């Protein structure tokens, strides 16, 4: 055997030992930390069948390194006993839901709020800009997308002006959605001296804690007294009156009352996580009841012990007695939610799911065909909304309980993104949401079965990407 043969043999042995060591390490980590059996089996298979590459992929995409650096260091959640005892929801079929969400979030339901529904940027942007213009002490703004276009520039000017007149302004945009390589908003506000940060952003991949995690929340809090939240990003495509090339309909909400403290708290957590700065008590004034709506914030993200928004949706479905209505731009939930909706329809509940006829993510449109078929067969009614693309995220139960916010009905929103929803106990408001979401064309099984075999294969293959879409 020549020297070259010996070197080759040693290199081969070293590579084999290295592969086995990495695969074993991945296997141990997966067995200890992955709760999903499907995900665990997949990652173990990738690690063993793809030498070195499998381990690298798991290190980049499979390990959740995101942990809150400070959870409520100064402002603690209300203890559960107090949270549940102060709620005044009437004893009805949704009482177990009220109790379950309190146990899940550790937050109390807050009575005495006003919630106003706003349609797209046409109605929401002027109201948001007006409140920023009236701000006296603080403005906190968090947005997944914040474009430096005709719509975004108005916000730039309002935020800069607020900063100049002495208001404490903090702006947080996502490190990817807000522009990974270039963010005109970040550059503009930073040059003007407005404190702005990008969530989990780094130009160096090895410094990014987890490239697959994004802050998808949309939240504006002014003086700790008024808040806006929902599904609306900041961009010209959301102002339909200006006839953008690719218009987007959406639904946003203005909230005033005691629950704004929880919304401000959510923003303060995200800001501290990103920058290390803890917002002072000036951001949290004493709030008095101003309306009749009972509300509670439901935050969710990969730093939580449980998928809180997904679990709230599951609890709500189980408590429904008459109707369930879901409006979402993307529909690709996990099997538990799909099964819960189907079982609800089978026990005689009217289940209506409203989806855009065509979203802005074609692969998601392909993939959603697979879970929709058994839902239709179970008796769920699937409605397709015509263009322009509707980006709203809404849910109602029995025309008396509502769930609004930033979370889509897909695995990414429920388990990977940082999301923020608000649950509302108010029959008049729930009926308002139902009235604003009029079904259009109903989808049938024939719409799915009537496609060709290649299309069905394409749709099923797209479904395999569910954990990352």
């Amino acid at each position: 055997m020549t020297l070259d043969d010996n070197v080759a043999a040693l290199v081969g042995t070293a590579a084999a030992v290295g592969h086995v060591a990495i695969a074993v390490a991945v296997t141990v980590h997966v067995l200890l930390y992955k709760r999903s059996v499907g995900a665990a089996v997949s990652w173990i298979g990738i690690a063993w069948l793809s030498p070195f590459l499998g381990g690298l992929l798991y290190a980049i995409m499979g390990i959740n390194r995101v942990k809150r650096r400070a959870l409520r260091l100064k402002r603690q959640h209300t203890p559960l006993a107090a949270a549940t005892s102060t709620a005044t929801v009437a004893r009805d079929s949704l009482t177990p839901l009220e109790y379950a969400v309190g146990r899940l979030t550790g937050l109390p339901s807050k009575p005495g709020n006003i919630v106003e529904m706003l349609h797209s940027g046409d109605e929401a942007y002027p109201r948001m800009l007006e409140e920023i213009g009236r701000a006296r002490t603080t403005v906190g703004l968090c947005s997944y997308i914040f474009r430096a276009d005709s719509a975004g520039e108005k916000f730039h000017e309002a935020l800069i002006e607020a900063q100049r007149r002495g208001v404490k302004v903090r702006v947080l945009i996502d490190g990817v959605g807000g522009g990974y390589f270039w963010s005109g908003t970040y550059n503009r506000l930073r040059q003007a001296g407005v404190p702005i940060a990008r969530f989990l952003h780094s130009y160096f991949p090895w410094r990014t804690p987890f490239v697959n995690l994004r802050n998808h929340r949309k939240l504006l809090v002014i003086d700790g007294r008024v808040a806006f939240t929902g599904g609306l990003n900041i961009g010209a495509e959301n102002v339909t009156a200006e006839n953008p090339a690719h218009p987007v309909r959406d639904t946003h909400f203005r909230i005033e009352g005691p629950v704004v403290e929880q919304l401000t708290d959510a923003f303060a957590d995200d800001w501290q996580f990103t920058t290390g700065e803890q917002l002072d008590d000036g951001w949290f004034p004493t709030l008095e009841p101003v309306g009749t709506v009972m509300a509670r914030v439901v935050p969710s993200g990969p730093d939580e012990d449980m998928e809180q928004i997904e679990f709230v949706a599951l609890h709500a479905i189980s408590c429904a007695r008459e109707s369930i209505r879901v409006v979402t731009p993307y529909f690709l939930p996990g099997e538990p939610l799909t099964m819960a909706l189907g079982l609800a329809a089978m026990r005689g509940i009217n289940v209506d799911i409203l989806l855009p006829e065509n979203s802005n993510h074609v692969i998601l449109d392909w993939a959603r065909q697979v879970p929709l078929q058994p839902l239709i067969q179970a008796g769920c009614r699937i409605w397709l909304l015509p263009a322009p693309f509707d980006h709203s995220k809404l849910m109602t139960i029995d025309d008396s309980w509502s769930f609004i916010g930033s979370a889509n009905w897909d695995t990414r929103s429920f388990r990977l993104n940082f999301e923020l929803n608000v649950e509302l106990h108010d029959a008049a408001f729930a009926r308002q949401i139902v009235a604003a979401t009029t079904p259009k064309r109903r989808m049938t099984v024939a719409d799915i079965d009537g496609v060709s075999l290649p299309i069905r294969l394409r749709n099923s293959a797209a479904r395999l990407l569910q954990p990352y879409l």
Side-chain angles (χ1 to χ4, degrees):
M1 182 177 291
T2 66
L3 179 60
D4 289 342
D5 291 336
N6 288 331
V7 171
L10 288 174
V11 171
T13 301
V17 171
H19 164 52
V20 171
I22 292 173
V24 168
V26 170
T27 300
V28 170
H29 195 277
V30 166
L31 293 176
L32 290 175
Y33 297 108
K34 290 297 179 185
R35 289 183 292 168
S36 168
V37 174
V41 172
S42 297
W43 280 119
I44 291 173
I46 290 172
W48 283 98
L49 298 177
S50 301
F52 300 104
L53 177 60
L56 178 62
L57 290 175
Y58 183 72
I60 295 175
M61 303 185 66
I63 301 175
N64 183 355
R65 301 180 183 86
V66 174
K67 299 294 181 184
R68 290 286 190 194
R69 288 192 286 264
L71 278 176
R72 316 283 182 185
L73 291 180
K74 190 173 183 180
R75 307 185 55 79
Q76 300 294 325
H77 285 310
T78 301
L80 178 59
T84 54
S85 64
T86 57
T88 57
V89 177
R91 299 290 300 182
D92 57 21
S93 63
L94 295 182
T95 300
L97 177 61
E98 158 68 20
Y99 181 76
V101 179
R103 291 290 302 270
L104 186 64
T105 63
L107 293 171
S109 286
K110 293 285 190 177
N113 303 283
I114 294 174
V115 183
E116 181 182 357
M117 182 162 54
L118 303 170
H119 299 285
S120 298
D122 302 71
E123 293 183 1
Y125 290 167
R127 300 292 299 279
M128 295 165 73
L129 292 167
E130 178 185 0
E131 294 292 352
I132 294 173
R134 295 197 305 206
R136 296 182 178 180
T137 57
T138 62
V139 172
L141 174 59
C142 176
S143 187
Y144 178 66
I145 294 174
F146 192 161
R147 302 194 193 283
D149 56 15
S150 58
E153 182 57 33
K154 295 178 181 178
F155 281 88
H156 297 170
E157 294 172 356
L159 293 166
I160 292 170
E161 174 57 30
Q163 174 81 6
R164 287 173 177 168
R165 67 175 184 268
V167 176
K168 297 178 182 178
V169 178
R170 302 292 186 272
V171 180
L172 179 63
I173 59 176
D174 185 69
V176 173
Y180 181 78
F181 294 104
W182 174 264
S183 172
T185 290
Y186 179 80
N187 296 333
R188 175 80 169 91
L189 294 181
R190 187 180 182 188
Q191 291 170 2
V194 176
I196 182 171
R198 288 188 277 187
F199 186 86
L200 290 184
H201 180 271
S202 173
Y203 291 115
F204 307 103
W206 56 87
R207 295 185 59 188
T208 301
F210 195 18
V211 297
N212 209 29
L213 303 183
R214 308 276 35 107
N215 191 321
H216 195 243
R217 297 171 179 176
K218 293 90 175 172
L219 179 60
L220 172 65
V221 287
I222 299 97
D223 293 342
R225 298 182 180 279
V226 176
F228 293 83
T229 193
L232 189 65
N233 291 298
I234 298 177
E237 66 272 16
N238 297 292
V239 184
T240 57
E242 296 183 1
N243 297 316
H246 303 285
V248 177
R249 284 198 307 250
D250 216 323
T251 310
H252 220 53
F253 301 89
R254 181 187 183 276
I255 302 177
E256 187 175 357
V259 78
V260 174
E261 180 182 11
Q262 295 179 2
L263 291 164
T264 307
D265 217 12
F267 175 82
D269 274 350
D270 284 347
W271 181 258
Q272 184 173 8
F273 172 68
T274 305
T275 69
E277 181 190 9
Q278 184 173 326
L279 302 184
D280 58 37
D281 287 342
W283 289 73
F284 300 92
T286 301
L287 300 175
E288 299 296 332
V290 293
T292 60
V293 178
M294 180 84 71
R296 169 167 38 208
V297 169
V298 182
S300 190
D303 61 333
E304 303 285 355
D305 292 332
M306 294 177 286
E307 293 79 31
Q308 293 190 159
I309 291 177
E310 181 181 16
F311 285 7
V312 169
L314 281 167
H315 279 303
I317 293 169
S318 68
C319 290
R321 294 295 178 267
E322 299 175 1
S323 64
I324 300 169
R325 176 169 294 220
V326 174
V327 183
T328 179
Y330 316 113
F331 185 82
L332 202 60
E335 289 187 8
L337 273 173
T338 304
M339 184 178 297
L341 289 169
L343 291 174
M346 293 178 70
R347 68 176 187 263
I349 294 173
N350 293 323
V351 179
D352 293 291
I353 303 172
L354 286 69
L355 310 172
E357 192 166 10
N358 296 291
S359 77
N360 59 347
H361 290 290
V362 65
I363 297 179
L364 273 167
D365 291 345
W366 297 343
R368 77 183 185 187
Q369 304 300 312
V370 179
L372 288 180
Q373 183 172 18
L375 288 177
I376 295 174
Q377 293 171 337
C380 297
R381 297 181 297 197
I382 312 299
W383 304 93
L384 299 180
L385 304 174
F389 168 51
D390 197 318
H391 192 247
S392 304
K393 307 100 163 38
L394 311 167
M395 181 182 186
T396 61
I397 297 293
D398 295 346
D399 290 353
S400 60
W401 178 90
S402 308
F403 204 33
I404 62 174
S406 65
N408 304 311
W409 277 58
D410 57 25
T411 302
R412 166 164 289 282
S413 274
F414 288 144
R415 302 188 182 183
L416 295 179
N417 287 345
F418 290 81
E419 303 280 2
L420 186 141
N421 275 24
V422 182
E423 65 150 348
L424 306 164
H425 289 264
D426 187 82
F429 184 78
R431 289 193 294 269
Q432 184 181 358
I433 288 182
V434 171
T437 55
T438 305
K440 302 297 182 182
R441 182 174 75 84
R442 185 173 176 179
M443 177 184 282
T444 66
V445 174
D447 293 325
I448 298 176
D449 287 343
V451 301
S452 63
L453 178 60
I455 298 299
R456 292 170 61 189
L457 290 173
R458 179 202 67 187
N459 295 344
S460 296
R463 175 77 188 283
L464 299 180
L465 300 175
Q466 176 176 345
Y468 305 105
L469 291 175

